[in-house]
mmCIF file of all heavy atoms in Angstrom:
data_model
loop_
_atom_site.group_PDB
_atom_site.id
_atom_site.type_symbol
_atom_site.label_atom_id
_atom_site.label_comp_id
_atom_site.label_asym_id
_atom_site.label_seq_id
_atom_site.Cartn_x
_atom_site.Cartn_y
_atom_site.Cartn_z
ATOM 1 N N LEU A 1 -75.575 -168.498 61.511
ATOM 2 C CA LEU A 1 -74.183 -168.282 61.144
ATOM 3 C C LEU A 1 -73.316 -169.309 61.687
ATOM 4 O O LEU A 1 -73.605 -169.903 62.817
ATOM 5 C CB LEU A 1 -73.677 -166.903 61.582
ATOM 6 C CG LEU A 1 -74.560 -165.696 61.116
ATOM 7 C CD1 LEU A 1 -73.897 -164.447 61.462
ATOM 8 C CD2 LEU A 1 -74.930 -165.702 59.621
ATOM 9 N N CYS A 2 -72.219 -169.607 61.097
ATOM 10 C CA CYS A 2 -71.337 -170.755 61.498
ATOM 11 C C CYS A 2 -69.920 -170.466 61.172
ATOM 12 O O CYS A 2 -69.605 -169.824 60.142
ATOM 13 C CB CYS A 2 -71.771 -172.121 61.028
ATOM 14 S SG CYS A 2 -71.854 -172.232 59.206
ATOM 15 N N VAL A 3 -69.038 -171.043 61.857
ATOM 16 C CA VAL A 3 -67.552 -170.942 61.675
ATOM 17 C C VAL A 3 -66.915 -172.094 62.282
ATOM 18 O O VAL A 3 -67.401 -172.686 63.338
ATOM 19 C CB VAL A 3 -67.010 -169.685 62.155
ATOM 20 C CG1 VAL A 3 -67.017 -169.591 63.758
ATOM 21 C CG2 VAL A 3 -65.657 -169.321 61.641
ATOM 22 N N GLU A 4 -65.809 -172.560 61.644
ATOM 23 C CA GLU A 4 -65.113 -173.654 62.380
ATOM 24 C C GLU A 4 -63.935 -173.144 63.078
ATOM 25 O O GLU A 4 -63.305 -172.071 62.680
ATOM 26 C CB GLU A 4 -64.574 -174.654 61.244
ATOM 27 C CG GLU A 4 -65.708 -175.585 60.679
ATOM 28 C CD GLU A 4 -65.128 -176.815 60.028
ATOM 29 O OE1 GLU A 4 -63.935 -177.043 60.062
ATOM 30 O OE2 GLU A 4 -65.976 -177.591 59.618
ATOM 31 N N ALA A 5 -63.565 -173.644 64.197
ATOM 32 C CA ALA A 5 -62.477 -173.136 65.022
ATOM 33 C C ALA A 5 -61.661 -174.341 65.656
ATOM 34 O O ALA A 5 -62.180 -175.372 65.863
ATOM 35 C CB ALA A 5 -63.092 -172.323 66.128
ATOM 36 N N GLU A 6 -60.405 -174.064 65.903
ATOM 37 C CA GLU A 6 -59.475 -174.990 66.549
ATOM 38 C C GLU A 6 -59.558 -174.795 68.119
ATOM 39 O O GLU A 6 -59.926 -173.678 68.572
ATOM 40 C CB GLU A 6 -58.096 -174.769 66.174
ATOM 41 C CG GLU A 6 -57.788 -174.909 64.723
ATOM 42 C CD GLU A 6 -57.884 -176.244 64.234
ATOM 43 O OE1 GLU A 6 -57.819 -177.204 65.037
ATOM 44 O OE2 GLU A 6 -58.058 -176.556 62.963
ATOM 45 N N VAL A 7 -59.531 -175.906 68.776
ATOM 46 C CA VAL A 7 -59.608 -175.875 70.308
ATOM 47 C C VAL A 7 -58.159 -176.021 70.807
ATOM 48 O O VAL A 7 -57.425 -176.934 70.404
ATOM 49 C CB VAL A 7 -60.426 -177.064 70.761
ATOM 50 C CG1 VAL A 7 -60.412 -177.035 72.302
ATOM 51 C CG2 VAL A 7 -61.866 -176.986 70.258
ATOM 52 N N GLY A 8 -57.748 -175.101 71.681
ATOM 53 C CA GLY A 8 -56.438 -175.033 72.158
ATOM 54 C C GLY A 8 -56.275 -175.873 73.460
ATOM 55 O O GLY A 8 -56.851 -176.922 73.533
ATOM 56 N N GLY A 9 -55.571 -175.340 74.373
ATOM 57 C CA GLY A 9 -55.247 -176.125 75.658
ATOM 58 C C GLY A 9 -56.312 -175.963 76.621
ATOM 59 O O GLY A 9 -56.782 -174.906 76.963
ATOM 60 N N GLY A 10 -56.777 -177.099 77.180
ATOM 61 C CA GLY A 10 -57.951 -177.106 78.100
ATOM 62 C C GLY A 10 -57.639 -176.318 79.434
ATOM 63 O O GLY A 10 -58.673 -175.636 79.833
ATOM 64 N N ASP A 11 -56.540 -176.323 79.987
ATOM 65 C CA ASP A 11 -56.241 -175.646 81.213
ATOM 66 C C ASP A 11 -56.356 -174.199 80.990
ATOM 67 O O ASP A 11 -56.965 -173.389 81.849
ATOM 68 C CB ASP A 11 -54.887 -176.081 81.822
ATOM 69 C CG ASP A 11 -54.932 -177.446 82.364
ATOM 70 O OD1 ASP A 11 -55.936 -178.008 82.579
ATOM 71 O OD2 ASP A 11 -53.781 -177.949 82.514
ATOM 72 N N ALA A 12 -55.801 -173.726 79.903
ATOM 73 C CA ALA A 12 -55.802 -172.231 79.593
ATOM 74 C C ALA A 12 -57.249 -171.733 79.388
ATOM 75 O O ALA A 12 -57.650 -170.645 79.859
ATOM 76 C CB ALA A 12 -54.951 -171.870 78.397
ATOM 77 N N ILE A 13 -58.019 -172.531 78.652
ATOM 78 C CA ILE A 13 -59.378 -172.179 78.394
ATOM 79 C C ILE A 13 -60.136 -172.122 79.665
ATOM 80 O O ILE A 13 -60.923 -171.245 80.028
ATOM 81 C CB ILE A 13 -60.010 -173.126 77.424
ATOM 82 C CG1 ILE A 13 -59.306 -173.003 76.077
ATOM 83 C CG2 ILE A 13 -61.520 -172.889 77.319
ATOM 84 C CD1 ILE A 13 -59.739 -174.079 75.051
ATOM 85 N N ALA A 14 -59.965 -173.244 80.518
ATOM 86 C CA ALA A 14 -60.690 -173.347 81.788
ATOM 87 C C ALA A 14 -60.402 -172.126 82.762
ATOM 88 O O ALA A 14 -61.372 -171.622 83.328
ATOM 89 C CB ALA A 14 -60.331 -174.634 82.467
ATOM 90 N N ARG A 15 -59.251 -171.701 82.782
ATOM 91 C CA ARG A 15 -58.887 -170.602 83.650
ATOM 92 C C ARG A 15 -59.582 -169.231 83.111
ATOM 93 O O ARG A 15 -60.242 -168.492 83.937
ATOM 94 C CB ARG A 15 -57.427 -170.268 83.708
ATOM 95 C CG ARG A 15 -56.613 -171.358 84.541
ATOM 96 C CD ARG A 15 -55.248 -170.898 84.721
ATOM 97 N NE ARG A 15 -54.443 -170.815 83.528
ATOM 98 C CZ ARG A 15 -53.747 -171.708 82.982
ATOM 99 N NH1 ARG A 15 -53.624 -172.917 83.548
ATOM 100 N NH2 ARG A 15 -53.052 -171.555 81.818
ATOM 101 N N GLU A 16 -59.552 -168.978 81.830
ATOM 102 C CA GLU A 16 -60.240 -167.846 81.317
ATOM 103 C C GLU A 16 -61.754 -167.926 81.469
ATOM 104 O O GLU A 16 -62.405 -166.995 81.731
ATOM 105 C CB GLU A 16 -59.860 -167.667 79.897
ATOM 106 C CG GLU A 16 -60.491 -166.390 79.259
ATOM 107 C CD GLU A 16 -59.992 -165.070 79.867
ATOM 108 O OE1 GLU A 16 -58.986 -165.040 80.545
ATOM 109 O OE2 GLU A 16 -60.706 -164.012 79.682
ATOM 110 N N VAL A 17 -62.266 -169.126 81.215
ATOM 111 C CA VAL A 17 -63.807 -169.308 81.318
ATOM 112 C C VAL A 17 -64.153 -169.061 82.776
ATOM 113 O O VAL A 17 -65.170 -168.421 82.976
ATOM 114 C CB VAL A 17 -64.054 -170.736 80.886
ATOM 115 C CG1 VAL A 17 -65.476 -171.170 81.280
ATOM 116 C CG2 VAL A 17 -64.053 -170.921 79.407
ATOM 117 N N HIS A 18 -63.450 -169.538 83.731
ATOM 118 C CA HIS A 18 -63.777 -169.271 85.169
ATOM 119 C C HIS A 18 -63.823 -167.859 85.524
ATOM 120 O O HIS A 18 -64.801 -167.360 86.107
ATOM 121 C CB HIS A 18 -62.694 -169.968 86.092
ATOM 122 C CG HIS A 18 -63.093 -169.836 87.530
ATOM 123 N ND1 HIS A 18 -62.800 -168.675 88.223
ATOM 124 C CD2 HIS A 18 -63.765 -170.652 88.346
ATOM 125 C CE1 HIS A 18 -63.151 -168.898 89.530
ATOM 126 N NE2 HIS A 18 -63.812 -170.005 89.586
ATOM 127 N N GLU A 19 -62.840 -166.998 84.946
ATOM 128 C CA GLU A 19 -62.823 -165.597 85.064
ATOM 129 C C GLU A 19 -64.120 -164.982 84.429
ATOM 130 O O GLU A 19 -64.744 -164.109 85.067
ATOM 131 C CB GLU A 19 -61.568 -164.998 84.488
ATOM 132 C CG GLU A 19 -61.530 -163.447 84.610
ATOM 133 C CD GLU A 19 -61.484 -162.906 86.029
ATOM 134 O OE1 GLU A 19 -61.045 -163.673 86.922
ATOM 135 O OE2 GLU A 19 -62.003 -161.809 86.218
ATOM 136 N N ARG A 20 -64.475 -165.378 83.335
ATOM 137 C CA ARG A 20 -65.632 -164.794 82.536
ATOM 138 C C ARG A 20 -66.887 -165.224 83.247
ATOM 139 O O ARG A 20 -67.806 -164.302 83.323
ATOM 140 C CB ARG A 20 -65.515 -165.155 81.163
ATOM 141 C CG ARG A 20 -64.349 -164.596 80.426
ATOM 142 C CD ARG A 20 -64.392 -164.779 78.894
ATOM 143 N NE ARG A 20 -63.151 -164.448 78.240
ATOM 144 C CZ ARG A 20 -62.959 -164.314 76.942
ATOM 145 N NH1 ARG A 20 -64.004 -164.426 76.092
ATOM 146 N NH2 ARG A 20 -61.794 -163.978 76.474
ATOM 147 N N TRP A 21 -67.060 -166.393 83.728
ATOM 148 C CA TRP A 21 -68.240 -166.766 84.461
ATOM 149 C C TRP A 21 -68.416 -165.979 85.743
ATOM 150 O O TRP A 21 -69.518 -165.588 86.088
ATOM 151 C CB TRP A 21 -68.221 -168.269 84.812
ATOM 152 C CG TRP A 21 -68.751 -169.117 83.755
ATOM 153 C CD1 TRP A 21 -68.213 -170.304 83.214
ATOM 154 C CD2 TRP A 21 -70.069 -169.165 83.217
ATOM 155 N NE1 TRP A 21 -69.114 -170.881 82.323
ATOM 156 C CE2 TRP A 21 -70.247 -170.184 82.275
ATOM 157 C CE3 TRP A 21 -71.232 -168.283 83.371
ATOM 158 C CZ2 TRP A 21 -71.350 -170.475 81.556
ATOM 159 C CZ3 TRP A 21 -72.358 -168.505 82.665
ATOM 160 C CH2 TRP A 21 -72.463 -169.565 81.743
ATOM 161 N N THR A 22 -67.226 -165.710 86.441
ATOM 162 C CA THR A 22 -67.229 -164.869 87.600
ATOM 163 C C THR A 22 -67.858 -163.447 87.282
ATOM 164 O O THR A 22 -68.582 -162.981 88.047
ATOM 165 C CB THR A 22 -65.890 -164.750 88.231
ATOM 166 O OG1 THR A 22 -65.378 -166.115 88.572
ATOM 167 C CG2 THR A 22 -65.846 -163.925 89.474
ATOM 168 N N GLN A 23 -67.421 -162.918 86.170
ATOM 169 C CA GLN A 23 -67.980 -161.628 85.719
ATOM 170 C C GLN A 23 -69.461 -161.636 85.486
ATOM 171 O O GLN A 23 -70.221 -160.733 85.904
ATOM 172 C CB GLN A 23 -67.196 -161.156 84.468
ATOM 173 C CG GLN A 23 -65.706 -160.826 84.709
ATOM 174 C CD GLN A 23 -65.033 -160.573 83.345
ATOM 175 O OE1 GLN A 23 -65.553 -160.571 82.322
ATOM 176 N NE2 GLN A 23 -63.647 -160.374 83.490
ATOM 177 N N GLN A 24 -69.940 -162.720 84.819
ATOM 178 C CA GLN A 24 -71.295 -162.857 84.504
ATOM 179 C C GLN A 24 -72.127 -163.159 85.798
ATOM 180 O O GLN A 24 -73.258 -162.670 85.896
ATOM 181 C CB GLN A 24 -71.534 -163.911 83.536
ATOM 182 C CG GLN A 24 -70.999 -163.606 82.064
ATOM 183 C CD GLN A 24 -71.426 -162.249 81.575
ATOM 184 O OE1 GLN A 24 -72.638 -161.922 81.655
ATOM 185 N NE2 GLN A 24 -70.547 -161.392 81.117
ATOM 186 N N HIS A 25 -71.517 -163.852 86.764
ATOM 187 C CA HIS A 25 -72.226 -164.013 88.020
ATOM 188 C C HIS A 25 -72.470 -162.671 88.675
ATOM 189 O O HIS A 25 -73.561 -162.446 89.208
ATOM 190 C CB HIS A 25 -71.417 -164.929 88.863
ATOM 191 C CG HIS A 25 -72.154 -165.307 90.173
ATOM 192 N ND1 HIS A 25 -71.961 -164.612 91.344
ATOM 193 C CD2 HIS A 25 -72.937 -166.428 90.440
ATOM 194 C CE1 HIS A 25 -72.662 -165.142 92.280
ATOM 195 N NE2 HIS A 25 -73.259 -166.240 91.814
ATOM 196 N N GLY A 26 -71.481 -161.878 88.684
ATOM 197 C CA GLY A 26 -71.689 -160.481 89.206
ATOM 198 C C GLY A 26 -72.697 -159.662 88.507
ATOM 199 O O GLY A 26 -73.431 -158.826 89.046
ATOM 200 N N ARG A 27 -72.812 -159.918 87.198
ATOM 201 C CA ARG A 27 -73.789 -159.140 86.437
ATOM 202 C C ARG A 27 -75.316 -159.648 86.697
ATOM 203 O O ARG A 27 -76.230 -158.796 86.691
ATOM 204 C CB ARG A 27 -73.506 -159.336 84.950
ATOM 205 C CG ARG A 27 -74.501 -158.711 83.977
ATOM 206 C CD ARG A 27 -74.083 -159.118 82.505
ATOM 207 N NE ARG A 27 -75.032 -158.543 81.562
ATOM 208 C CZ ARG A 27 -75.068 -158.925 80.290
ATOM 209 N NH1 ARG A 27 -74.199 -159.715 79.782
ATOM 210 N NH2 ARG A 27 -75.933 -158.333 79.464
ATOM 211 N N TRP A 28 -75.481 -160.908 86.953
ATOM 212 C CA TRP A 28 -76.807 -161.477 86.961
ATOM 213 C C TRP A 28 -77.298 -162.051 88.267
ATOM 214 O O TRP A 28 -78.484 -162.267 88.512
ATOM 215 C CB TRP A 28 -76.885 -162.593 85.913
ATOM 216 C CG TRP A 28 -76.873 -162.202 84.446
ATOM 217 C CD1 TRP A 28 -75.751 -162.361 83.634
ATOM 218 C CD2 TRP A 28 -77.791 -161.490 83.737
ATOM 219 N NE1 TRP A 28 -75.991 -161.832 82.391
ATOM 220 C CE2 TRP A 28 -77.249 -161.230 82.466
ATOM 221 C CE3 TRP A 28 -79.102 -161.059 84.089
ATOM 222 C CZ2 TRP A 28 -77.951 -160.579 81.512
ATOM 223 C CZ3 TRP A 28 -79.742 -160.303 83.104
ATOM 224 C CH2 TRP A 28 -79.228 -160.120 81.784
ATOM 225 N N HIS A 29 -76.379 -162.236 89.225
ATOM 226 C CA HIS A 29 -76.806 -162.842 90.513
ATOM 227 C C HIS A 29 -77.817 -161.882 91.242
ATOM 228 O O HIS A 29 -77.510 -160.728 91.434
ATOM 229 C CB HIS A 29 -75.627 -163.032 91.366
ATOM 230 C CG HIS A 29 -75.918 -163.709 92.662
ATOM 231 N ND1 HIS A 29 -76.325 -165.143 92.602
ATOM 232 C CD2 HIS A 29 -75.904 -163.404 93.929
ATOM 233 C CE1 HIS A 29 -76.541 -165.473 93.841
ATOM 234 N NE2 HIS A 29 -76.329 -164.535 94.649
ATOM 235 N N GLY A 30 -78.938 -162.476 91.593
ATOM 236 C CA GLY A 30 -79.894 -161.737 92.331
ATOM 237 C C GLY A 30 -80.907 -160.911 91.455
ATOM 238 O O GLY A 30 -81.869 -160.337 91.977
ATOM 239 N N VAL A 31 -80.683 -160.909 90.224
ATOM 240 C CA VAL A 31 -81.560 -160.198 89.281
ATOM 241 C C VAL A 31 -82.943 -160.847 89.198
ATOM 242 O O VAL A 31 -82.998 -162.100 89.087
ATOM 243 C CB VAL A 31 -80.958 -160.052 87.869
ATOM 244 C CG1 VAL A 31 -81.911 -159.312 86.932
ATOM 245 C CG2 VAL A 31 -79.646 -159.295 88.005
ATOM 246 N N ALA A 32 -83.977 -160.079 89.209
ATOM 247 C CA ALA A 32 -85.335 -160.688 89.147
ATOM 248 C C ALA A 32 -85.606 -161.352 87.848
ATOM 249 O O ALA A 32 -85.176 -160.886 86.786
ATOM 250 C CB ALA A 32 -86.397 -159.548 89.417
ATOM 251 N N LYS A 33 -86.473 -162.410 87.845
ATOM 252 C CA LYS A 33 -86.697 -163.173 86.643
ATOM 253 C C LYS A 33 -87.390 -162.185 85.661
ATOM 254 O O LYS A 33 -87.106 -162.389 84.389
ATOM 255 C CB LYS A 33 -87.678 -164.299 86.969
ATOM 256 C CG LYS A 33 -86.960 -165.505 87.551
ATOM 257 C CD LYS A 33 -87.984 -166.661 87.616
ATOM 258 C CE LYS A 33 -87.287 -167.921 88.139
ATOM 259 N NZ LYS A 33 -88.245 -169.051 88.188
ATOM 260 N N ALA A 34 -88.242 -161.329 86.096
ATOM 261 C CA ALA A 34 -88.911 -160.470 85.146
ATOM 262 C C ALA A 34 -87.937 -159.577 84.440
ATOM 263 O O ALA A 34 -88.083 -159.291 83.118
ATOM 264 C CB ALA A 34 -89.964 -159.660 85.866
ATOM 265 N N GLU A 35 -86.886 -159.148 85.043
ATOM 266 C CA GLU A 35 -85.915 -158.300 84.416
ATOM 267 C C GLU A 35 -85.141 -159.094 83.471
ATOM 268 O O GLU A 35 -84.733 -158.598 82.270
ATOM 269 C CB GLU A 35 -85.007 -157.631 85.508
ATOM 270 C CG GLU A 35 -83.920 -156.732 84.963
ATOM 271 C CD GLU A 35 -83.113 -156.076 85.995
ATOM 272 O OE1 GLU A 35 -83.481 -156.087 87.154
ATOM 273 O OE2 GLU A 35 -82.012 -155.543 85.662
ATOM 274 N N ILE A 36 -84.765 -160.347 83.874
ATOM 275 C CA ILE A 36 -84.017 -161.194 82.950
ATOM 276 C C ILE A 36 -84.785 -161.396 81.671
ATOM 277 O O ILE A 36 -84.357 -161.332 80.496
ATOM 278 C CB ILE A 36 -83.695 -162.537 83.581
ATOM 279 C CG1 ILE A 36 -82.705 -162.277 84.689
ATOM 280 C CG2 ILE A 36 -83.158 -163.520 82.541
ATOM 281 C CD1 ILE A 36 -82.523 -163.571 85.635
ATOM 282 N N ARG A 37 -86.127 -161.815 81.739
ATOM 283 C CA ARG A 37 -86.904 -162.095 80.573
ATOM 284 C C ARG A 37 -87.256 -160.879 79.770
ATOM 285 O O ARG A 37 -87.668 -160.970 78.618
ATOM 286 C CB ARG A 37 -88.218 -162.767 81.125
ATOM 287 C CG ARG A 37 -87.929 -164.138 81.740
ATOM 288 C CD ARG A 37 -89.071 -164.832 82.306
ATOM 289 N NE ARG A 37 -88.653 -165.982 83.064
ATOM 290 C CZ ARG A 37 -89.420 -166.946 83.510
ATOM 291 N NH1 ARG A 37 -90.751 -166.874 83.200
ATOM 292 N NH2 ARG A 37 -88.936 -167.990 84.185
ATOM 293 N N ALA A 38 -87.124 -159.685 80.311
ATOM 294 C CA ALA A 38 -87.353 -158.426 79.589
ATOM 295 C C ALA A 38 -86.171 -157.968 78.816
ATOM 296 O O ALA A 38 -86.209 -157.014 78.045
ATOM 297 C CB ALA A 38 -87.859 -157.317 80.595
ATOM 298 N N HIS A 39 -84.996 -158.624 79.051
ATOM 299 C CA HIS A 39 -83.761 -158.201 78.323
ATOM 300 C C HIS A 39 -84.093 -158.409 76.852
ATOM 301 O O HIS A 39 -84.672 -159.435 76.416
ATOM 302 C CB HIS A 39 -82.609 -159.052 78.743
ATOM 303 C CG HIS A 39 -81.335 -158.678 78.114
ATOM 304 N ND1 HIS A 39 -81.023 -158.923 76.712
ATOM 305 C CD2 HIS A 39 -80.221 -158.081 78.657
ATOM 306 C CE1 HIS A 39 -79.835 -158.421 76.492
ATOM 307 N NE2 HIS A 39 -79.314 -157.872 77.619
ATOM 308 N N PRO A 40 -83.736 -157.374 75.962
ATOM 309 C CA PRO A 40 -84.216 -157.493 74.630
ATOM 310 C C PRO A 40 -83.748 -158.760 73.883
ATOM 311 O O PRO A 40 -84.505 -159.345 73.094
ATOM 312 C CB PRO A 40 -83.459 -156.241 73.957
ATOM 313 C CG PRO A 40 -83.317 -155.255 75.108
ATOM 314 C CD PRO A 40 -83.069 -156.075 76.415
ATOM 315 N N ALA A 41 -82.568 -159.250 74.121
ATOM 316 C CA ALA A 41 -82.102 -160.466 73.450
ATOM 317 C C ALA A 41 -82.978 -161.742 73.941
ATOM 318 O O ALA A 41 -83.411 -162.502 73.139
ATOM 319 C CB ALA A 41 -80.587 -160.728 73.652
ATOM 320 N N ILE A 42 -83.056 -161.891 75.278
ATOM 321 C CA ILE A 42 -83.898 -162.980 75.800
ATOM 322 C C ILE A 42 -85.292 -162.798 75.362
ATOM 323 O O ILE A 42 -85.888 -163.908 74.883
ATOM 324 C CB ILE A 42 -83.738 -163.061 77.316
ATOM 325 C CG1 ILE A 42 -82.307 -163.427 77.685
ATOM 326 C CG2 ILE A 42 -84.759 -163.959 77.917
ATOM 327 C CD1 ILE A 42 -82.023 -163.457 79.208
ATOM 328 N N ASP A 43 -85.844 -161.599 75.333
ATOM 329 C CA ASP A 43 -87.241 -161.507 74.810
ATOM 330 C C ASP A 43 -87.202 -161.950 73.331
ATOM 331 O O ASP A 43 -88.337 -162.523 72.922
ATOM 332 C CB ASP A 43 -87.627 -159.996 74.978
ATOM 333 C CG ASP A 43 -89.040 -159.788 74.439
ATOM 334 O OD1 ASP A 43 -90.002 -160.426 75.029
ATOM 335 O OD2 ASP A 43 -89.199 -158.956 73.534
ATOM 336 N N ALA A 44 -86.228 -161.606 72.576
ATOM 337 C CA ALA A 44 -86.218 -162.059 71.118
ATOM 338 C C ALA A 44 -86.310 -163.528 70.958
ATOM 339 O O ALA A 44 -87.134 -164.096 70.212
ATOM 340 C CB ALA A 44 -85.037 -161.485 70.482
ATOM 341 N N TYR A 45 -85.516 -164.194 71.723
ATOM 342 C CA TYR A 45 -85.522 -165.695 71.703
ATOM 343 C C TYR A 45 -86.723 -166.311 72.326
ATOM 344 O O TYR A 45 -87.184 -167.422 71.794
ATOM 345 C CB TYR A 45 -84.270 -166.230 72.356
ATOM 346 C CG TYR A 45 -82.954 -165.934 71.609
ATOM 347 C CD1 TYR A 45 -81.915 -165.241 72.140
ATOM 348 C CD2 TYR A 45 -82.856 -166.466 70.300
ATOM 349 C CE1 TYR A 45 -80.729 -165.015 71.406
ATOM 350 C CE2 TYR A 45 -81.679 -166.276 69.589
ATOM 351 C CZ TYR A 45 -80.681 -165.486 70.115
ATOM 352 O OH TYR A 45 -79.464 -165.258 69.429
ATOM 353 N N ARG A 46 -87.351 -165.648 73.261
ATOM 354 C CA ARG A 46 -88.605 -166.159 73.809
ATOM 355 C C ARG A 46 -89.691 -165.976 72.757
ATOM 356 O O ARG A 46 -90.587 -166.918 72.642
ATOM 357 C CB ARG A 46 -89.028 -165.477 75.143
ATOM 358 C CG ARG A 46 -88.181 -165.830 76.315
ATOM 359 C CD ARG A 46 -88.462 -164.974 77.556
ATOM 360 N NE ARG A 46 -89.870 -164.946 77.944
ATOM 361 C CZ ARG A 46 -90.320 -165.873 78.723
ATOM 362 N NH1 ARG A 46 -89.599 -166.875 79.179
ATOM 363 N NH2 ARG A 46 -91.608 -165.892 79.099
ATOM 364 N N ARG A 47 -89.721 -164.880 72.018
ATOM 365 C CA ARG A 47 -90.736 -164.777 70.949
ATOM 366 C C ARG A 47 -90.528 -165.711 69.849
ATOM 367 O O ARG A 47 -91.531 -166.317 69.403
ATOM 368 C CB ARG A 47 -90.728 -163.320 70.457
ATOM 369 C CG ARG A 47 -91.277 -162.215 71.354
ATOM 370 C CD ARG A 47 -91.286 -160.861 70.672
ATOM 371 N NE ARG A 47 -90.018 -160.210 70.703
ATOM 372 C CZ ARG A 47 -89.263 -159.995 69.614
ATOM 373 N NH1 ARG A 47 -89.603 -160.437 68.428
ATOM 374 N NH2 ARG A 47 -88.100 -159.370 69.744
#
């Protein structure tokens, strides 16, 4: 699937991206590799 999109201001994007990466770090930091690879989506792409 594909879509075209406009890119806005770099600083505003960077601030929000930092916040979202921080959230994902909390979700995944320290998780075992086996658990990561067993996630249904990651398993689908591995297959």
Side-chain angles (χ1 to χ4, degrees):
L1 305 188
C2 57
V3 68
E4 287 199 0
E6 300 290 342
V7 178
D11 289 344
I13 295 171
R15 287 192 296 270
E16 181 64 22
V17 165
H18 184 276
E19 176 63 29
R20 296 189 188 192
W21 270 126
T22 299
Q23 294 171 3
Q24 293 307 312
H25 185 270
R27 175 186 180 189
W28 292 107
H29 187 67
V31 176
K33 281 188 177 181
E35 184 176 343
I36 292 168
R37 298 177 186 193
H39 187 285
I42 291 177
D43 179 64
Y45 288 119
R46 285 173 60 84
R47 286 187 280 108

